[in-house]
Amino acid sequence: QVQLVESGGGLVQAGGSLKLSCAASGRAASSNIMGWFRQAPGKEREFVARISRFTWTSITTYADSVKGRFTISRDNAKNTLYLQMNNLKPEDTAVYYCAASATVDAYSPSQYPYWGQGTQVTVSS
């Protein structure tokens, strides 16, 4: 069954903005941690941002390369994860993946059992 579906990717000029969405279903929708990863051609998949789902708070964490430019959020009522990307740079070009995990300290891709199919983000200079 479908668990995670990303949308919102596209082509944008450097300095522009995009907002990615990830619709979750099944076990992925109730996962403690949801995150965004990206993979550029010829490179390994890398962590971008993650957000926790606790009844009392949501904790966000970002890769240094996107801190201050990207914002991760989630709407638990809609089972949807978002990534607002501002001041985009050509080096942000990659396929962006949504992922979910029950592991509270999940940062590595191997700790996320649920993945979306990915959405392409291309930033032109």
Side-chain angles (χ1 to χ4, degrees):
Q1 66 274 16
V2 175
Q3 300 272 4
L4 298 168
V5 179
E6 301 98 335
S7 62
L11 173 64
V12 64
Q13 289 187 334
S17 299
L18 280 176
K19 186 173 184 177
L20 305 183
S21 299
C22 173
S25 60
R27 292 184 178 180
S30 59
S31 295
N32 288 325
I33 304 296
M34 295 192 75
W36 290 97
F37 290 78
R38 66 186 182 187
Q39 188 166 19
K43 295 187 177 181
E44 293 186 352
R45 191 167 298 188
E46 65 174 2
F47 168 77
V48 174
R50 50 167 264 166
I51 186 168
S52 64
R53 173 193 173 139
F54 301 118
T55 55
W56 60 93
T57 187
S58 288
I59 300 173
T60 58
T61 309
Y62 298 92
D64 288 342
S65 59
V66 307
K67 202 172 294 182
R69 300 187 297 122
F70 291 9
T71 302
I72 188 172
S73 61
R74 66 192 292 177
D75 185 332
N76 292 333
K78 295 182 179 179
N79 290 331
T80 302
L81 178 72
Y82 302 100
L83 184 68
Q84 176 67 48
M85 305 184 293
N86 297 328
N87 190 21
L88 282 161
K89 304 176 180 180
E91 51 264 42
D92 294 318
T93 296
V95 177
Y96 283 71
Y97 296 91
C98 170
S101 175
T103 304
V104 174
D105 62 347
Y107 286 92
S108 169
S110 63
Q111 296 175 296
Y112 288 78
Y114 305 108
W115 290 88
Q117 81 287 352
T119 185
Q120 177 70 46
V121 171
T122 303
V123 184
S124 63
S125 57

